[in-house]
Amino acid sequence: MKQVEKTKDSLVTVTQKSSSPLTTWLVKSLSLSPFPSSGFFFSLSHTNSGLCLYLNTELGVLYWRLNPENYENDAELKKIREDRGYNYMDLLDICPEKVADFKEKLKNFYTEHIHADEEIRYCLEGSAYFDVRDRDDRWIRIWIKAGDLIILPAGIYHRFTLDTGDYVKLMRLFVGEPVWTAHNRPQEDHPARKEYIKNLVTEKVGAALEAY
Ligand SMILES: CSCCC(=O)C(=O)O
Ligand SMILES: [Fe+2]
Ligand code: NI
């Protein structure tokens, strides 16, 4: 199902399909302001299992749905951390009241970038958007809500912003001492980018998004 929303700054086309746990949209055209307060509003809550699968099998984005109320004693979370070596953990509240230089931070988060390592975020409260680039350089918008744990692979182009709720509580996980350095696009010569592209090309068979 296609839905078109006319907003203050842009015309957005999103493709929605059947239901799945994680809400994602294929963003065809979007000139979204980095600042939630300056008014770009989605009011969609449909989900797309095809896109969810696509994120996983085609782009290497991993996803778990966990119980956010139980994060301190969650056996499933514990197992994920053990299996993947995530010994570092911290909690981060993102909202205008709690983040120093909020606008500046959001501007940086919303600048397309990669990391040398995975970006692991577990949403405990509130909600937010992660946009990731697909193989054809289209943005896929992921709406994370309480209970969503996502892992963006090293080298994937992405960006982040809050939604109109203006608040998210995130758990950040990492292997060893955390490195949050963002490398803004273009990064075609960055080793993590090269490795990501190599994996996309060699390990996966490219399938058209339209097929999902
Ligand atoms: C604060 S979590 C999301 C922003 C981001 O992409 C990052 O921190 O690298
Ligand atoms: Fe990031
Ligand atoms: Ni980052």
Side-chain angles (χ1 to χ4, degrees):
M1 195 222 301
K2 281 241 170 98
Q3 180 152 346
V4 178
E5 276 213 350
K6 187 99 176 85
T7 71
K8 214 166 82 190
D9 353 66
S10 64
L11 184 69
V12 180
T13 309
V14 293
T15 308
Q16 307 172 345
K17 288 186 186 168
S18 53
S19 57
S20 89
L22 190 63
T23 305
T24 57
W25 299 288
L26 173 64
V27 180
K28 292 273 192 188
S29 113
L30 178 62
S31 64
L32 167 49
S33 156
F35 308 124
S37 52
S38 66
F40 176 89
F41 305 115
F42 264 122
S43 57
L44 303 169
S45 60
H46 215 266
T47 54
N48 186 326
S49 62
L51 269 181
C52 213
L53 184 67
Y54 178 78
L55 279 173
N56 186 327
T57 61
E58 295 298 312
L59 306 183
V61 175
L62 302 179
Y63 167 75
W64 283 264
R65 168 101 201 149
L66 302 174
N67 177 5
E69 253 119 71
N70 186 36
Y71 74 88
E72 274 154 311
N73 307 294
D74 186 349
E76 210 182 340
L77 177 62
K78 190 162 173 275
K79 178 153 188 343
I80 294 167
R81 291 186 60 182
E82 280 168 7
D83 288 351
R84 303 183 67 88
Y86 300 149
N87 51 349
Y88 176 90
M89 185 276 273
D90 69 12
L91 301 179
L92 184 67
D93 282 331
I94 307 178
C95 58
E97 299 76 30
K98 293 196 183 171
V99 175
D101 300 321
F102 176 74
K103 285 206 164 189
E104 184 63 24
K105 283 253 169 56
L106 267 247
K107 188 164 165 267
N108 293 338
F109 289 158
Y110 203 61
T111 303
E112 184 171 4
H113 64 272
I114 64 166
H115 303 282
D117 306 278
E118 291 176 338
E119 180 161 325
I120 309 124
R121 298 290 184 269
Y122 177 19
C123 179
L124 298 176
E125 291 173 21
S127 50
Y129 296 124
F130 276 96
D131 294 339
V132 298
R133 289 283 192 191
D134 79 354
R135 294 161 176 272
D136 298 323
D137 224 20
R138 295 175 291 198
W139 283 118
I140 308 286
R141 167 148 294 191
I142 305 168
W143 194 17
I144 57 156
K145 296 180 226 64
D148 294 332
L149 187 162
I150 65 165
I151 301 177
L152 307 184
I156 192 172
Y157 283 124
H158 66 278
R159 63 186 183 183
F160 166 94
T161 196
L162 291 174
D163 60 21
T164 56
D166 247 3
Y167 171 66
V168 73
K169 186 192 239 357
L170 294 174
M171 178 187 290
R172 301 191 291 190
L173 299 171
F174 207 86
V175 179
E177 268 309 296
V179 179
W180 310 123
T181 314
H183 305 278
N184 291 346
R185 190 170 178 170
Q187 287 297 332
E188 300 322 305
D189 293 327
H190 191 291
R193 181 66 192 165
K194 285 186 173 165
E195 183 67 18
Y196 178 66
I197 295 294
K198 194 178 93 197
N199 290 339
L200 276 190
V201 172
T202 58
E203 284 175 21
K204 319 264 162 73
V205 183
L209 176 55
E210 288 66 32
Y212 284 85

